[in-house]
Amino acid sequence: MAHLGARIAHVGAGEVHVVLPRRPEVTQQHGYFHAGATSSIADSAGGYAAFTLFPEGSSVLTVEFKINLLAPGEGEHLEAVGTVLKPGRTLTICRLEVYGVTATQRTLVAAGQQTLIQIQSRPEP
Amino acid sequence: MAHLGARIAHVGAGEVHVVLPRRPEVTQQHGYFHAGATSSIADSAGGYAAFTLFPEGSSVLTVEFKINLLAPGEGEHLEAVGTVLKPGRTLTICRLEVYGVTATQRTLVAAGQQTLIQIQSRPEP
Amino acid sequence: MAHLGARIAHVGAGEVHVVLPRRPEVTQQHGYFHAGATSSIADSAGGYAAFTLFPEGSSVLTVEFKINLLAPGEGEHLEAVGTVLKPGRTLTICRLEVYGVTATQRTLVAAGQQTLIQIQSRPEP
Amino acid sequence: MAHLGARIAHVGAGEVHVVLPRRPEVTQQHGYFHAGATSSIADSAGGYAAFTLFPEGSSVLTVEFKINLLAPGEGEHLEAVGTVLKPGRTLTICRLEVYGVTATQRTLVAAGQQTLIQIQSRPEP
């Protein structure tokens, strides 16, 4: 996240938004956001969304995700929205959406679904 | 790819390997490769693998991919292997595998599947 | 569809609902709807939803789908909802949801995402 | 499985084959095997493959699967092969392949990947 230049823009119970501003490092030769950056922030947004519902002292790992790249990643920034579809003690399932955002438009550029697992952090000695 | 520090290590007909050396920018606090980096090089390896089978003057876009993160991304470098399962005039399907590699071990850390579309580049005027 | 005993319950532009009544053939030993039946009607609902947006004389094929089974398939019937997320001349992407329905409850039992391709039917000779 | 007319054709540690003979109930108007039948036996083959590695008294549930339909489901029967890619105490990941088989040919008609969870069966009272 830090490496990409992304930041958390909204945190609610079971919903997190991650914003990635346009920078040369995350765009390709045509100026579109790179698919790798798009899917990385989608994965992060879902992971944080699941984490908001977890008990203290636990952590989260992505089991798997699937993402469709729907449109060129255009815009001044990307906004990834992770939403918990089904919380669980072991597994949590999230919906992933990524929008390309300009001053006047918000276009769905990617959509996916993700499975996460809750990990009990080991107690300190 | 360049931003992550990845490079193409092997190109065969329908099979491409991409290598990502360990660097602080692509690992997380525990020293494992980040899931975002793992899935990005998997996506790239599949895209290049499909592209090796395309006619001149065409380009490739990822339609979608699905990836399971199977084990912590450990090793001196990651090696992503993209293999064409089914070539096609419009759509090509690839198998994606990512290995964590040390001097003595090669561990499967991620596996996935990807759908790509062949785009006819516009002729120059 | 006919073999499973499913029927189309709603058709709108880009949205189709398919209903599968409880029958011994589509439930397992515990009385839940079988995962195979659940995913089959999800796939059908998405295929029909895409088809509502296609021009006359074309047909639809599923390229791929991904589905998470979120809860036991309980209820008097299942209702699969296919919704077009992104229409396209070649590829259409749908969201898939399956609900277990009783007189008083409607529970999300599966959720997925699907890629479909529009096929030009061959003209008759 | 029984409803479709499918049967287990091979059981090894971490690998199971399921065969589905051609019957009018599992084929569509063009004589191809239906996508729903194809994905159902793929899901079943993966579930059984995972189950072969589980301890006694446990059972298996599909968390999710993703499948690409690569070619028309032709042949005298379909053979679905489920292979464990990564076994685990909680989650097991399988590769799914479905072949259309005639006396002289074996064609890959679908390929996928699946996540399964091991459930501890409740002890009898």
Side-chain angles (χ1 to χ4, degrees), chain A residues 64-68 70-71 85-86 93 95-97 108 111-115, chain C residues 64-68 70-71 85-86 93 95-97 108 111-115:
Chain A
E64 60 84 38
F65 68 93
K66 178 258 204 291
I67 193 160
N68 278 76
L70 305 174
L85 272 181
K86 175 72 165 52
I93 315 305
R95 176 171 293 164
L96 309 176
E97 291 157 306
L108 188 64
Q113 203 166 288
Q114 181 191 34
T115 307
Chain C
E64 59 86 37
F65 68 93
K66 178 259 204 288
I67 194 163
N68 277 77
L70 304 172
L85 274 182
K86 175 72 165 55
I93 315 303
R95 176 171 291 163
L96 309 177
E97 291 158 305
L108 187 64
Q113 204 165 288
Q114 182 190 32
T115 307

Side-chain angles (χ1 to χ4, degrees), chain A residues 35 65-70, chain B residues 42-51 54 59-67 82-96 112-119, chain C residues 61-66 90-93 113-117, chain D residues 66-70 111-112:
Chain A
F65 68 93
K66 178 258 204 291
I67 193 160
N68 278 76
L69 300 159
L70 305 174
Chain B
D43 176 37
S44 294
Y48 287 118
F51 188 64
F54 286 2
S59 62
V60 61
L61 277 179
T62 298
V63 172
E64 60 86 37
F65 67 95
K66 179 260 204 287
I67 193 161
T83 313
V84 172
L85 274 181
K86 176 72 167 50
R89 248 189 331 152
T90 306
L91 298 178
T92 292
I93 315 303
C94 285
R95 175 172 291 164
L96 309 177
Q113 203 165 288
Q114 182 190 33
T115 307
L116 302 124
I117 191 164
Q118 183 180 313
I119 304 289
Chain C
L61 277 179
T62 297
V63 171
E64 59 86 37
F65 68 93
K66 178 259 204 288
T90 306
L91 298 177
T92 292
I93 315 303
Q113 204 165 288
Q114 182 190 32
T115 307
L116 303 125
I117 191 164
Chain D
K66 179 258 203 288
I67 193 161
N68 277 77
L69 301 159
L70 305 173

Side-chain angles (χ1 to χ4, degrees), chain B residues 64 66 68 70-71 85-86 93 95 97 108 111-113 115, chain D residues 64 66 68 70-71 85-86 93 95 97 108 111-113 115:
Chain B
E64 60 86 37
K66 179 260 204 287
N68 277 78
L70 304 173
L85 274 181
K86 176 72 167 50
I93 315 303
R95 175 172 291 164
E97 291 158 305
L108 187 64
Q113 203 165 288
T115 307
Chain D
E64 60 85 37
K66 179 258 203 288
N68 277 77
L70 305 173
L85 273 182
K86 175 71 165 53
I93 314 305
R95 176 172 292 163
E97 291 158 305
L108 187 64
Q113 203 166 288
T115 307

Side-chain angles (χ1 to χ4, degrees), chain B:
Chain B
M1 290 268 294
H3 175 52
L4 291 171
R7 60 182 172 77
I8 293 179
H10 169 82
V11 178
E15 185 177 322
V16 167
H17 299 204
V18 169
V19 162
L20 178 67
R22 164 177 298 287
R23 296 191 317 154
E25 290 86 348
V26 291
T27 53
Q28 4 137 297
Q29 66 270 35
H30 303 297
Y32 301 134
F33 283 91
H34 197 280
T38 304
S39 50
S40 286
I41 61 166
D43 176 37
S44 294
Y48 287 118
F51 188 64
T52 62
L53 305 183
F54 286 2
E56 232 183 298
S58 60
S59 62
V60 61
L61 277 179
T62 298
V63 172
E64 60 86 37
F65 67 95
K66 179 260 204 287
I67 193 161
N68 277 78
L69 300 160
L70 304 173
E74 291 179 290
E76 284 145 33
H77 66 265
L78 292 185
E79 181 171 0
V81 179
T83 313
V84 172
L85 274 181
K86 176 72 167 50
R89 248 189 331 152
T90 306
L91 298 178
T92 292
I93 315 303
C94 285
R95 175 172 291 164
L96 309 177
E97 291 158 305
V98 185
Y99 297 89
V101 184
T102 66
T104 56
Q105 258 194 312
R106 189 175 154 90
T107 310
L108 187 64
V109 300
Q113 203 165 288
Q114 182 190 33
T115 307
L116 302 124
I117 191 164
Q118 183 180 313
I119 304 289
Q120 300 309 324
S121 301
R122 293 184 204 89
E124 302 292 326

Side-chain angles (χ1 to χ4, degrees), chain D residues 50-59 88-89 118-120:
Chain D
F51 189 64
T52 62
L53 304 183
F54 285 1
E56 232 183 295
S58 59
S59 61
R89 248 190 329 155
Q118 182 181 314
I119 304 290
Q120 300 309 321

